[in-house]
Amino acid sequence: MRAVRRFTVRPSLPEPLTGLTALATNLRWTWHPPTRDLFASMDDELFRRIRDPLRMLTAVSATRLAELAADEAFLARANEVTENLREYLTEPRWYQERSAEVGGLPAAVAYFCMEFGVHEALPNYSGGLGVLAGDHLKAASDLGVPLIGVGPLYRAGYFRQSLSLDGWQVEHYPVIDPSGLPLQLLTEPSGVPVGVGVAMPGGRELRAQIWQASVGRIPLLLLDTDIEENDEDLRGVTDRLYGGDADHRIRQEILAGIGGMRAVRRYCELTGHPQPEVFHTNEGHAGFLGLERARELMDASGLEFDDVFPAVRAGTVFTTHTPVPAGIDRFPVDLVQHYFGDGRLLPKLDLRRVLALGAEDNPGLFNMAHMGLRLAQRANGVSALHGRVSRRMFGGLWPGFDDDEVPISAVTNGVHGPTWVAREMTELLDGDYDRLGRDGGLSLRDKVTDEQLWALRRDLRQKLVAEVRRRVRASWLQRGASPLELGWVDSVFDPDVLTVGFARRVPTYKRLTLMLRDPERLRALLLDEQRPVQLVVAGKSHPADEGGKALIQQIVRFVDDPAVRRRIVFLPDYDMSMARYLYRGCDVWLNNPTRPLEACGTSGMKSALNGGLNLSIKDGWWDECYDGSNGWAIPTADGITDPLRRDDLEAAALYDLLAQQVVPLFYDRGESGVPQGWLSRVWHTLDTLGPRVQASRMVREYVDTCYGPAAETVTAAVADGFAGSRSLAQYQQKMALSWRSVRLFDSELVVEPPDALVVGHEIRVRARIDLAGLEPSDVEVQAVVGRVGDTDDLQDPVSVKMEPTGIGEFTAALELPQAGSLGYTVRILPKHPLLATHAELGKVILA
Ligand SMILES: *Cc1c(COP(=O)(O)O)cnc(C)c1O
């Protein structure tokens, strides 16, 4: 019989144990071992199976609960952990100190994302983006940053993956019951659930209730439309992550952006949490939040859209996560019109303004990344290389500017150390990488011997081997094998063999099957008698991506071969619970995307924190972090346009590196049996990458370079009845009228004496300009000097501000910066105190 409906009954705990509920519902337990120990001590065996404190409370028998309620030692430990959590939640942390030091930091920041991966106990993520968002919240919590996370709660989350007998990906969508998850339904003081609504075409409304997860200090608000008030089709809006057609997606995104904003507002009103001043759009999907913010400000002030628009921009931060044009979220313009056109969703917001924000080259499409960039004064990519690629990719939005001046910066992603570092590692290194990084100087090597570290690495590898065997067996049973045929599984993998990991989603650019380019070479590496390699592979393909599934099948067919199956495995259902074992246990973390299509990549960072060495194409984070001795860079055949030839070249380079460098170094043992050369790379990785790849570093960077400056600009924009915002709006109107008439007549280089073109000598640049009615203070006139090569393009240009020196005349004095062929030009740029960069308005007049 099937149930028609599911529900979860909360346990009734004996009085002395009631405090455990608070410990189990705050997800800080996911990165706080003493809390996990406490729950494990209720029933060790049970905890190992379910690994979720909240479910423990329902699963532990009443007899055992009664026993624990009378166990003084247990109650004392519970008290201690509860007290520790209370302190963690209330004591001042880095942000409070920073705030006192620099001032102007926002009272709160709202962080919008379509997925959040905090732990497998809350399966509301698909992969990298979600896990990054989860790590962002956790690091923000540790640092005391007053963040509120917002996104949808999916009834089926992302799919679970298994394999058919012939290696084809099979998807299933287990339905979750939010009342059984570490979530609390947000309620009004009257006890009824808080509801938010967004208008839908045809006079309908989409309603959502709000579940709150507590990620340490950070509330994470998750919107759920599966409620009776909704029409049947609308109940399904939050059915699953990245499923459905464009119509389904736009409804999800309207809910996430506009509904999400309303949820944050109501949450703050109810709880007294400070209202956010800064809004972080983590990837384009939630971008409609900026429109809702405009509506709010128009309502509150009675001003027009143009007058509040600068204030909206000032308070919005946008992070782009993909350099793959196909990865950008676009909707048919008709669809946007359908939802926004009747004026009920966002009253007073003119449809044409909305459409203009998402305009792109193709007039039939609405581009969420373009809207994100137009609605946010501060935007960034997620690694230095990705910043450069994004500046080029989106440069068309700032015509007339060189790529380097496009206002998209970079904040390199990081990972939450306490979540990803093996506990054994933390204990051995007594480590808080964060502190080590900041105090500087102290090397972990001074505290721990090579032998200790090597023993630890073996222990982690051994644990991975056990997990691999467990999963290989389960997968074969699921594919229809009989236990009798699976004796060989006990000899899959070996705890003393060099272990390489490759696990990621399976879009084409990640090249899951590059390693199979020359199957014979791979086989030779795996089966080498003296110095074998073992390889663990995992990854999910998007359900609609048949090509990706074919790649998985190719891998599975290779690993199914009895000749190699002890040395290479494909583990189905890559998720956080599996990832943990891989990052900890692998000696080498392999990544071979097509450069530069990997925006950042974070799995390699998690491996590095556990003493794994990266073997990777120099893409994403590795492009800036590889230093020659912390792993290996697979050479790239940049510029080769034939993808097959490029794959051949890069695969050959990968095999060569493995065979000639990685394998020999791993098996080169001194007398003590310890591979010293290998370990010196591991030490170097821990010392140098340890502090750098942390999410705490990333969040501090966001605070210092995005949230803080955004809060300051927003304050300036809204003060005195939006005086700043209105002044910028008026300035833009004035510009719209005059800019086209501004003329740069001519310019000259004044060198005295005439033969004094010598390095360090001061020269002057003079230009004659007609400002067409603008004031000199409305513009910045710059002389730009740089090297010139075969073309007249200025290299490494230096700009010097020119001052008005007469009617229609501007002059600058500058020192000749270097010898060789130089060139100069003059340009006129907009200037207003609320602009963050000169390029912001995309306007420039060049000589
Ligand atoms: C870290 C992580 C990712 C992201 O890894 P990439 O290197 O960006 O591919 C994906 N899935 C899980 C479960 C992760 O923990």
Side-chain angles (χ1 to χ4, degrees):
M1 276 182 288
R2 284 177 68 88
V4 291
R5 213 188 130 217
R6 311 163 53 111
F7 52 94
T8 303
V9 181
R10 298 243 180 201
S12 146
L13 294 171
E15 210 283 321
L17 300 183
T18 48
L20 293 179
T21 311
L23 282 176
T25 36
N26 192 311
L27 288 160
R28 190 202 180 211
W29 66 258
T30 65
W31 73 96
H32 191 246
T35 312
R36 285 203 301 276
D37 288 350
L38 178 73
F39 284 95
S41 72
M42 296 176 77
D43 183 339
D44 218 14
E45 157 66 35
L46 189 63
F47 189 76
R48 225 166 308 153
R49 243 179 317 124
I50 61 183
R51 291 192 59 84
D52 176 349
L54 196 62
R55 286 180 49 213
M56 279 301 278
L57 297 184
T58 30
V60 172
S61 69
T63 337
R64 177 70 182 137
L65 286 178
E67 219 172 276
L68 290 166
D71 178 343
E72 291 300 328
F74 178 80
L75 295 178
R77 279 204 310 281
N79 252 338
E80 207 175 296
V81 175
T82 305
E83 181 52 24
N84 175 286
L85 178 63
R86 195 195 58 76
E87 251 171 54
Y88 174 84
L89 295 179
T90 50
E91 75 192 358
R93 301 183 79 85
W94 172 83
Y95 190 82
Q96 288 65 39
E97 235 173 76
R98 188 82 182 143
S99 206
E101 196 177 302
V102 299
L105 295 184
V109 176
Y111 180 90
F112 290 71
C113 192
M114 287 308 269
E115 47 171 311
F116 286 90
V118 178
H119 189 265
E120 62 267 21
L122 184 56
N124 209 46
Y125 67 95
S126 78
L129 182 70
V131 176
L132 175 80
D135 281 5
H136 194 105
L137 300 192
K138 292 172 188 170
S141 172
D142 291 344
L143 293 169
V145 180
L147 209 73
I148 302 175
V150 208
L153 177 72
Y154 304 97
R155 280 306 168 114
Y158 202 53
F159 71 92
R160 306 288 304 266
Q161 177 195 51
S162 59
L163 295 174
S164 71
L165 191 56
D166 64 351
W168 197 252
Q169 168 174 300
V170 179
E171 297 114 26
H172 33 127
Y173 291 85
V175 174
I176 58 152
D177 173 5
S179 58
L181 297 181
L183 296 171
Q184 270 173 312
L185 191 61
L186 198 62
T187 54
E188 298 287 348
S190 67
V192 300
V194 170
V196 292
V198 289
M200 290 280 114
R204 299 202 298 165
E205 195 182 30
L206 169 63
R207 306 278 308 166
Q209 59 185 6
I210 302 156
W211 296 92
Q212 184 196 334
S214 299
V215 185
R217 299 164 69 117
I218 308 297
L220 168 58
L221 308 179
L222 297 170
L223 280 70
D224 171 14
T225 60
D226 189 11
I227 50 177
E228 282 172 15
E229 294 158 78
N230 278 329
D231 293 346
E232 198 52 37
D233 62 322
L234 296 182
R235 285 184 76 152
V237 165
T238 51
D239 57 355
R240 58 179 65 166
L241 180 54
Y242 305 137
D245 55 9
D247 188 52
H248 190 65
R249 267 192 306 121
I250 200 171
R251 288 175 171 188
Q252 287 188 333
E253 297 183 13
I254 287 170
L255 178 77
I258 301 173
M261 191 69 136
R262 294 174 185 173
V264 170
R265 294 302 188 204
R266 191 71 196 122
Y267 172 80
C268 292
E269 285 162 12
L270 283 169
T271 60
H273 191 291
Q275 289 282 358
E277 298 167 67
V278 173
F279 303 85
H280 189 162
T281 316
N282 194 42
E283 192 51 303
H285 316 108
F288 293 125
L289 72 93
L291 302 178
E292 165 66 359
R293 176 120 170 88
R295 184 203 60 78
E296 279 182 343
L297 294 179
M298 287 160 73
D299 270 1
S301 65
L303 295 171
E304 295 295 315
F305 180 83
D306 285 344
D307 285 333
V308 301
F309 187 61
V312 172
R313 280 176 47 81
T316 312
V317 175
F318 173 62
T319 302
T320 169
H321 286 266
T322 176
V324 188
I328 287 178
D329 202 20
R330 295 177 169 88
F331 292 111
V333 164
D334 301 352
L335 199 60
V336 180
Q337 223 152 348
H338 177 64
Y339 284 94
F340 290 84
D342 68 6
R344 288 176 57 250
L345 182 52
L346 294 172
K348 295 194 215 148
L349 242 69
D350 182 355
L351 177 66
R352 276 166 316 172
R353 303 309 297 265
V354 175
L355 294 180
L357 288 167
E360 63 150 52
D361 292 346
N362 183 334
L365 290 179
F366 185 92
N367 184 314
M368 293 298 281
H370 285 196
M371 180 171 74
L373 291 165
R374 291 190 178 108
L375 276 171
Q377 191 169 31
R378 289 172 183 81
N380 67 282
V382 290
S383 66
L385 176 62
H386 180 232
R388 293 200 293 280
V389 171
S390 302
R391 288 191 284 276
R392 196 179 330 132
M393 179 161 151
F394 295 114
L397 294 178
W398 291 273
F401 289 91
D402 289 352
D403 288 345
D404 325 348
E405 289 188 293
V406 167
I408 300 177
S409 65
V411 177
T412 303
N413 286 341
V415 300
H416 186 242
T419 293
W420 295 109
V421 179
R423 182 172 185 177
E424 298 86 334
M425 188 81 173
T426 314
E427 281 164 7
L428 178 72
L429 301 179
D430 184 19
D432 173 351
Y433 291 111
D434 232 30
R435 204 183 50 229
L436 283 169
R438 270 186 294 163
D439 296 348
L442 181 59
S443 167
L444 299 168
R445 221 176 310 198
D446 303 333
K447 302 204 247 171
V448 177
T449 65
D450 273 3
E451 283 72 16
Q452 284 172 303
L453 180 62
W454 188 239
L456 171 89
R457 291 292 320 156
R458 186 181 189 281
D459 178 32
L460 295 176
R461 198 183 308 114
Q462 163 82 62
K463 286 175 174 146
L464 170 63
V465 169
E467 182 69 5
V468 163
R469 289 178 187 164
R470 191 180 74 73
R471 286 182 183 257
V472 167
R473 180 180 306 280
S475 173
W476 271 111
L477 290 173
Q478 195 277 328
R479 289 170 79 186
S482 143
L484 290 179
E485 307 167 76
L486 296 180
W488 61 274
V489 173
D490 292 331
S491 59
V492 165
F493 274 34
D494 178 330
D496 291 305
V497 165
L498 169 61
T499 307
V500 180
F502 183 97
R504 41 197 32 94
R505 285 177 305 113
V506 190
T508 324
Y509 78 86
K510 298 222 185 205
R511 297 193 295 188
L512 174 71
T513 52
L514 190 75
M515 62 180 82
L516 296 185
R517 202 75 202 152
D518 184 344
E520 281 320 307
R521 274 202 86 178
L522 177 60
R523 233 173 247 133
L525 283 163
L526 297 173
L527 301 178
D528 188 289
E529 304 242 323
Q530 258 76 55
R531 303 183 307 184
V533 174
Q534 57 198 10
L535 183 52
V536 46
V537 186
K540 290 176 174 175
S541 166
H542 188 281
D545 178 8
E546 298 292 307
K549 292 186 204 175
L551 296 181
I552 290 178
Q553 187 177 42
Q554 226 178 308
I555 290 274
V556 175
R557 290 200 166 145
F558 183 88
V559 312
D560 279 354
D561 177 358
V564 294
R565 68 187 180 190
R566 287 183 178 79
R567 290 278 184 253
I568 180 168
V569 296
F570 178 88
L571 303 182
D573 206 27
Y574 179 46
D575 74 346
M576 289 175 87
S577 70
M578 179 201 300
R580 197 173 293 131
Y581 284 95
L582 301 184
Y583 304 146
R584 292 172 187 171
C586 288
D587 300 291
V588 172
W589 196 249
L590 174 64
N591 191 19
N592 50 33
T594 306
R595 189 175 188 269
L597 298 184
E598 176 99 301
C600 179
T602 50
S603 51
M605 298 176 168
K606 300 171 199 165
S607 169
L609 286 180
N610 284 289
L613 297 178
N614 278 266
L615 168 60
S616 170
I617 295 275
K618 274 178 70 178
D619 199 6
W621 75 287
W622 196 233
D623 188 64
E624 71 202 72
C625 286
Y626 172 65
D627 70 1
S629 42
N630 53 4
W632 296 271
I634 305 168
T636 44
D638 289 334
I640 301 272
T641 46
D642 173 2
L644 294 181
R645 207 168 110 65
R646 181 164 172 167
D647 284 0
D648 277 337
L649 290 169
E650 296 182 3
L654 166 61
Y655 299 129
D656 286 347
L657 262 176
L658 273 169
Q660 293 159 16
Q661 299 194 35
V662 180
V663 171
L665 195 65
F666 182 87
Y667 288 106
D668 178 15
R669 306 294 162 87
E671 277 163 25
S672 54
V674 169
Q676 252 125 18
W678 186 273
L679 284 176
S680 83
R681 282 185 184 239
V682 174
W683 282 125
H684 180 65
T685 296
L686 294 172
D687 279 345
T688 58
L689 291 182
R692 206 164 155 192
V693 301
Q694 299 281 344
S696 51
R697 188 270 310 142
M698 165 182 77
V699 171
R700 284 198 299 265
E701 241 175 274
Y702 274 111
V703 168
D704 288 339
T705 66
C706 300
Y707 303 159
E712 277 176 32
T713 324
V714 107
T715 306
V718 302
D720 294 332
F722 289 80
S725 186
R726 279 154 62 197
S727 135
L728 181 51
Q730 279 157 14
Y731 175 75
Q732 283 182 262
Q733 273 156 20
K734 187 157 77 168
M735 295 283 289
L737 288 177
S738 312
W739 192 249
R740 243 169 308 160
S741 314
V742 172
R743 290 281 174 277
L744 213 164
F745 293 120
D746 54 30
S747 62
E748 59 177 338
L749 203 60
V750 185
V751 186
E752 278 163 2
D755 60 351
L757 278 174
V758 189
V759 180
H761 188 74
E762 188 174 274
I763 57 161
R764 270 174 301 143
V765 175
R766 195 153 56 209
R768 287 196 308 128
I769 289 170
D770 175 6
L771 285 177
L774 294 176
E775 300 297 323
S777 61
D778 285 338
V779 295
E780 165 135 335
V781 183
Q782 291 180 343
V784 187
V785 182
R787 283 184 297 108
V788 285
D790 299 342
T791 67
D792 282 337
D793 285 334
L794 292 174
Q795 311 286 324
D796 308 322
V798 180
S799 321
V800 179
K801 185 170 178 231
M802 300 175 76
E803 301 293 346
T805 44
I807 299 197
E809 188 190 87
F810 284 74
T811 308
L814 57 111
E815 271 182 20
L816 288 166
Q818 63 212 139
S821 296
L822 299 189
Y824 85 95
T825 188
V826 173
R827 63 178 184 173
I828 310 174
L829 298 156
K831 187 167 125 192
H832 187 278
L834 289 189
L835 295 178
T837 71
H838 292 304
E840 194 167 317
L841 300 179
K843 284 189 180 342
V844 58
I845 292 168
L846 292 161

